[in-house]
């Protein structure tokens, strides 16, 4: 069933149907297509730079594939846990991930835990792998956020800005949650257009991808891109989350805002501390990224020779 999504200030009107196609009893949703495409694009980008970061292609790919699964599980668990009041009464919907309802922070946590376990098990260096994946992660997020557009979700509070959006689903959601939003200080008018916060985050992630791609070859230590991603995404998410009307809540606090603020503060402290140690050490080889070391060059040659014998 399609629905009109309007951007009146821009003169844009979209006829949106969350179902991309149906084949017999199989229904394919645009949400799933956008998220899957984002994952594939991000994974391909990360994998293409494995040599640069000092990651064994075969082992790295195995870790990434398993971490994607771990990420989906973590994203769903995180979302369901913070909306348990609803899912405890609708347990049949817990696994219906195609209807939306995943949380990126839960996904990142799930993927990182999975990767850390497998890296230890398969003897893969976790920090070079993490740095390698950050660009892929953030470009995947930039594209995946458009799944929220097709589901008409992840929008914000009212705005008079020209790119504000409106639709019957948005008006109905705001009407139903008007009192709940007022209790946390967000006053809404269901008949007025709202912030397209999915778009804000998509653009923020796209800029972040460009930044990480530029900094990839200028790294001073393994884990640096992980910290920069954490700071960049966290800072953007903190402010964007403050505009949203569908935040996961912990009492009267937005869970993602709290987590974003903590991540930015901790990552900044670690980044500043490590860079200060590097400057004090005054040794160009101190904490040199593994992908730039002689050790990796020897290991890379060994892997190449082993592959040629297969």
């Amino acid at each position: 069933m399609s629905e009109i999504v309007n951007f009146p200030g821009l003169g844009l009107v979209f006829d949106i149907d969350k179902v991309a196609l149906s084949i017999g009893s199989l229904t394919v949703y645009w949400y799933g297509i956008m998220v899957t495409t984002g994952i594939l694009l991000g994974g391909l980008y990360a994998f293409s730079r494995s040599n640069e970061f000092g990651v064994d292609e075969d082992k790295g790919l195995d870790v990434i594939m398993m971490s994607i699964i771990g990420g989906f599980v973590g994203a769903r668990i995180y979302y369901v846990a913070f909306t348990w009041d609803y899912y405890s009464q609708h347990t049949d919907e817990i696994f219906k991930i195609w209807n939306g309802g995943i949380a990126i922070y839960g996904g990142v946590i799930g993927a990182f835990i999975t990767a850390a376990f497998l890296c230890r098990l398969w003897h893969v260096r976790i920090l070079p792998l993490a740095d390698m994946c950050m660009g892929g992660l953030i470009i995947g997020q930039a594209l995946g956020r458009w799944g929220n557009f097709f589901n008409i979700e992840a929008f914000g509070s009212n705005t008079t800005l020209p790119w504000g959006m409106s639709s019957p689903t948005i008006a109905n959601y705001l009407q139903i949650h008007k009192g709940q939003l007022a209790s946390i200080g967000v006053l809404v008018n269901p008949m007025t257009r709202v912030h397209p916060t999915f778009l804000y985050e998509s653009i923020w992630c796209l800029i972040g991808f460009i930044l990480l791609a530029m900094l990839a070859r200028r790294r001073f230590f393994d884990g640096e891109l992980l910290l920069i991603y954490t700071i960049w995404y966290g800072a953007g998410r903190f402010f964007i989350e403050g505009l949203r009307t569908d935040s996961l809540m912990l009492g009267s606090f937005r869970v993602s805002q709290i987590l974003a603020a903590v991540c930015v503060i901790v990552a900044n402290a670690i980044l500043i501390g490590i860079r200060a140690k590097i400057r004090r050490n005054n040794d160009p080889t101190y904490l040199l990224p593994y992908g730039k070391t002689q050790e990796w060059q020897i290991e890379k040659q060994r892997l190449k020779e082993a592959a040629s014998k297969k």
Side-chain angles (χ1 to χ4, degrees):
M1 182 176 178
S2 64
E3 180 175 333
I4 297 297
V5 177
N6 203 350
F7 292 80
L10 300 178
L12 298 175
V13 178
F14 298 93
D15 189 0
I16 300 297
D17 189 336
K18 65 169 60 178
V19 176
L21 57 96
S22 296
I23 305 173
S25 60
L26 175 65
T27 302
V28 179
Y29 293 85
W30 280 110
Y31 182 90
I33 290 175
M34 299 309 296
V35 171
T36 302
T37 304
I39 290 171
L40 290 174
L41 177 63
L44 287 172
Y45 173 79
F47 183 68
S48 71
R49 306 192 74 168
S50 58
N51 178 59
E52 180 183 342
F53 287 88
V55 177
D56 179 343
E57 289 185 356
D58 291 337
K59 289 183 178 179
L61 180 60
D62 288 342
V63 173
I64 289 173
M65 295 299 292
M66 295 303 295
S67 296
I68 289 172
I69 297 173
F72 265 115
V73 173
R76 188 59 172 175
I77 289 174
Y78 186 101
Y79 183 86
V80 170
F82 286 105
T83 52
W84 186 243
D85 285 347
Y86 175 82
Y87 283 102
S88 63
Q89 304 299 318
H90 302 83
T91 53
D92 60 311
E93 296 184 23
I94 289 177
F95 299 103
K96 294 182 179 180
I97 196 170
W98 53 86
N99 286 336
I102 57 176
I104 185 59
Y105 272 124
V108 172
I109 293 169
F112 193 83
I113 290 173
T114 304
F117 172 76
L118 293 177
C119 282
R120 186 176 181 83
L121 182 66
W122 294 338
H123 306 291
V124 178
R125 294 172 182 262
I126 181 64
L127 291 181
L129 179 74
D131 277 353
M132 182 185 87
C133 291
M134 289 304 101
L137 172 60
I138 203 166
I139 192 62
Q141 288 176 255
L143 184 57
R145 271 300 173 195
W146 284 90
N148 298 131
F149 173 63
F150 287 100
N151 268 8
I152 314 178
E153 60 187 7
F155 48 81
S157 53
N158 296 135
T159 180
T160 57
L161 292 170
W163 50 80
M165 63 187 289
S166 62
S167 80
T169 291
I170 292 172
N172 184 55
Y173 178 90
L174 294 182
Q175 185 62 49
I176 292 172
H177 295 86
K178 193 173 181 180
Q180 181 184 347
L181 290 168
S183 69
I184 60 172
V186 180
L187 302 178
V188 294
N189 179 352
M191 305 311 296
T192 303
R193 57 196 179 195
V194 300
H195 287 283
T197 48
F198 77 91
L199 176 61
Y200 297 167
E201 188 165 328
S202 180
I203 293 172
W204 184 256
C205 287
L206 180 59
I207 296 171
F209 167 73
I210 296 170
L211 175 67
L212 290 175
M214 292 172 57
L215 294 174
R217 294 182 180 178
R218 302 177 186 177
R219 294 175 302 131
F220 290 101
F221 60 92
D222 286 324
E224 187 171 12
L225 294 188
L226 171 62
L227 292 171
I228 292 172
Y229 163 85
T230 303
I231 295 165
W232 179 266
Y233 180 71
R237 184 59 184 267
F238 179 84
F239 290 104
I240 293 170
E241 190 69 23
L243 297 173
R244 286 180 58 166
T245 53
D246 62 345
S247 298
L248 300 177
M249 305 297 293
L250 186 61
S252 58
F253 297 98
R254 300 172 190 262
V255 176
S256 291
Q257 265 195 319
I258 296 171
L259 189 53
V262 171
C263 286
V264 170
I265 293 168
V266 173
N268 254 311
I270 295 173
L271 183 63
I272 292 169
I274 294 177
R275 285 183 173 176
K277 285 183 67 176
I278 291 174
R279 285 195 298 271
R280 287 197 304 269
N281 193 274
N282 198 28
D283 178 356
T285 64
Y286 180 66
L287 294 182
L288 187 69
Y290 182 63
K292 298 179 181 181
T293 63
Q294 185 64 30
E295 182 183 354
W296 166 242
Q297 298 307 314
I298 295 171
E299 176 65 11
K300 182 170 63 171
Q301 183 61 32
R302 186 192 68 77
L303 292 170
K304 185 176 179 181
E305 291 173 357
S308 66
K309 294 177 181 179
K310 289 182 179 179

